[in-house]
Amino acid sequence: MMRGSDYFIPATAMALALAAKLPTLLRGWRSPMVRSVCALIATGASSWFFAAPPVVERVNRWTGVPNVSAPLVYSLVVSFSCASLVLILHWRGGPPRAQRRQALGWIAGTAAVITALAVLFALGDAPVERRQDFDTHYARTPFIRELIVVYLAAHTGAALVVTRTCLRWARELDRGWVRNGLLTLVTAFSFNLAFGVLKGAALAARWLGADLDVLSTTAAPPAAGIGAGLGACGFLMPLAGPRLEEAWRAWRAHRRMYPLWRALQDHPDARFTTMRLPLWSPIAMRATQRATQVADGIHDLAPYMDEESRALLERQAEAAGHSAAQARAAAEAALVRSALRARAARRPEDGAPAPAGPGPGSPYPAAAGYEELGLLGMHFARLGTVRPRRPLRARIPESGRAG
């Protein structure tokens, strides 16, 4: 059984998410997607907050109406289901007029359900306060019984529609964060379905004279909690997933570039920008800065590059099983290593002055991305001590080690 404080965990998390979304809501209020996201978070946070037993007790006491919290929480849960449907509708896209018509249909249906809940509660008689077992305690009470059935039917029906819609949409996609998010939502609303089934089973047992209240009071709330957590992940995954993936790629490239970056700047003639980024700078910005410095360092090495060896090195790397990109990185890493040694000995191999731009055959101009230069840095670290031309054959890493 969930404790009273357990209800505040998802409520607080959703409230913080809503606070973070408020600036976006104010700027983009005209966007149906933005409004749908905020409505989903607001109804989800409210339903968990008002379902907490301590809040149930206070609401009942403040209003002076025993069990008035029940239709309130039911209405919020049904509103959350409606917000989920509307958000998925806008998320998938389509003709704006059709979207608006369908969204208004869901909202009108939800308003009718909430009105029915209020009317049935007013007609019924529930004088004894029940904070956690309202459903089963009043399972046989006229009008209250119908109120509970309407709520469970609406909630379960919405969960079925969301599950079916997400599953069909996911089958149309091959891969990606949208598909992952949809499959997570399928799992989340499957738990919501389980919540409705458990509540319905306990209700039916009461009608038949049996006692399965444990299904309603002990098993159903955790299922709803798991569903809420997974649902939040599912809705956020397509938005946060690509950003996390990009941050991971930036961090990996930043780490891979370090040996090459260090080797390029460890020379009296090295010309590196020294602007320090704040500690809170995004990792992508740090990786971009390091990539720029690496590209500048390679540019300074141009007079020492043995460009005639580049094609040979690339062929050797491709023969070892590397892809074209890996072969370019392996060849460039070998040339850079050799050029660093030549510069340290102060003997440019071609005797030419430093050119105005990168070497004529270099695939790494100043505009190269940090992932490309991260790959170059990885090969540079694996090469060890190398020499140009023929001896480099033995220093090209095998494809199995290039991962």
Side-chain angles (χ1 to χ4, degrees):
M1 180 183 295
M2 293 179 65
R3 297 171 299 177
S5 58
D6 294 338
Y7 289 81
F8 295 121
I9 297 174
T12 302
M14 291 184 178
L16 292 174
L18 180 61
K21 279 288 183 183
L22 276 179
T24 304
L25 176 63
L26 295 176
R27 290 194 303 267
W29 175 251
R30 293 182 179 276
S31 169
M33 177 68 79
V34 172
R35 294 199 301 268
S36 300
V37 169
C38 292
L40 178 80
I41 298 173
T43 54
S46 300
S47 61
W48 280 103
F49 177 78
F50 285 101
V55 178
V56 169
E57 187 271 334
R58 283 172 174 77
V59 170
N60 292 338
R61 187 176 70 247
W62 290 341
T63 60
V65 180
N67 298 304
V68 73
S69 284
L72 172 63
V73 172
Y74 293 170
S75 298
L76 290 171
V77 171
V78 172
S79 299
F80 173 79
S81 299
C82 176
S84 301
L85 288 165
V86 174
L87 176 57
I88 292 173
L89 176 66
H90 291 305
W91 184 13
R92 185 165 191 180
R97 184 172 297 180
Q99 284 188 42
R100 179 177 175 80
R101 183 170 58 250
Q102 191 170 353
L104 289 176
W106 285 115
I107 294 172
T110 301
V113 169
I114 293 174
T115 301
L117 295 177
V119 171
L120 290 169
F121 182 77
L123 294 175
D125 184 22
V128 180
E129 182 183 71
R130 310 299 298 188
R131 300 180 190 175
Q132 292 182 291
D133 63 345
F134 177 86
D135 316 71
T136 51
H137 184 81
Y138 290 106
R140 296 183 177 182
T141 303
F143 297 111
I144 303 297
R145 171 186 58 217
E146 285 75 14
L147 178 152
I148 299 169
V149 170
V150 168
Y151 154 66
L152 288 178
H155 177 64
T156 306
L160 277 171
V161 173
V162 172
T163 303
R164 184 185 63 182
T165 302
C166 292
L167 191 57
R168 286 183 176 178
W169 187 9
R171 287 173 178 170
E172 298 174 5
L173 305 174
D174 293 331
R175 60 180 63 186
W177 286 105
V178 173
R179 187 174 189 273
N180 294 337
L182 290 170
L183 293 178
T184 303
L185 287 174
V186 169
T187 305
F189 280 90
S190 295
F191 278 98
N192 286 342
L193 285 173
F195 171 85
V197 169
L198 291 170
K199 287 278 189 179
L203 197 66
R206 280 282 186 161
W207 294 341
L208 297 174
D211 185 354
L212 292 178
D213 291 7
V214 66
L215 297 179
S216 177
T217 57
T218 303
I226 295 172
L230 289 174
C233 292
F235 282 117
L236 291 175
M237 200 173 287
L239 175 64
R243 296 181 181 179
L244 293 175
E245 187 176 14
E246 179 62 27
W248 162 252
R249 289 199 298 264
W251 178 84
R252 182 178 61 180
H254 188 268
R255 179 177 56 85
R256 284 177 169 179
M257 284 187 287
Y258 179 78
L260 176 57
W261 174 80
R262 191 69 184 175
L264 288 170
Q265 74 168 354
D266 191 18
H267 190 275
D269 294 340
R271 295 176 296 173
F272 269 62
T273 56
T274 57
M275 184 184 70
R276 285 186 172 273
L277 295 175
L279 293 176
W280 55 86
S281 299
I283 186 60
M285 184 181 297
R286 292 180 175 275
T288 300
Q289 183 191 55
R290 180 166 289 183
T292 301
Q293 292 172 340
V294 167
D296 290 343
I298 294 175
H299 163 80
D300 291 341
L301 286 176
Y304 303 91
M305 291 283 195
D306 182 9
E307 294 293 343
E308 295 178 0
S309 296
R310 184 184 301 279
L312 173 62
L313 292 169
E314 289 190 19
R315 289 197 300 270
Q316 291 174 356
E318 289 176 354
H322 290 292
S323 66
Q326 293 274 1
R328 285 195 301 271
E332 184 76 4
L335 292 174
V336 169
R337 177 76 73 174
S338 179
L340 285 169
R341 294 179 60 196
R343 185 175 68 175
R346 292 286 183 175
R347 48 181 181 84
E349 295 183 6
D350 58 4
S362 175
Y364 295 96
Y370 54 71
E371 288 192 85
E372 299 174 74
L373 291 168
L375 184 61
L376 172 59
M378 181 188 70
H379 280 279
F380 178 83
R382 290 180 174 181
L383 275 172
T385 303
V386 297
R387 294 179 181 275
R389 300 184 188 276
R390 302 292 182 184
L392 289 170
R393 179 187 296 273
R395 305 305 302 174
I396 297 294
E398 296 296 327
S399 60
R401 298 177 57 195

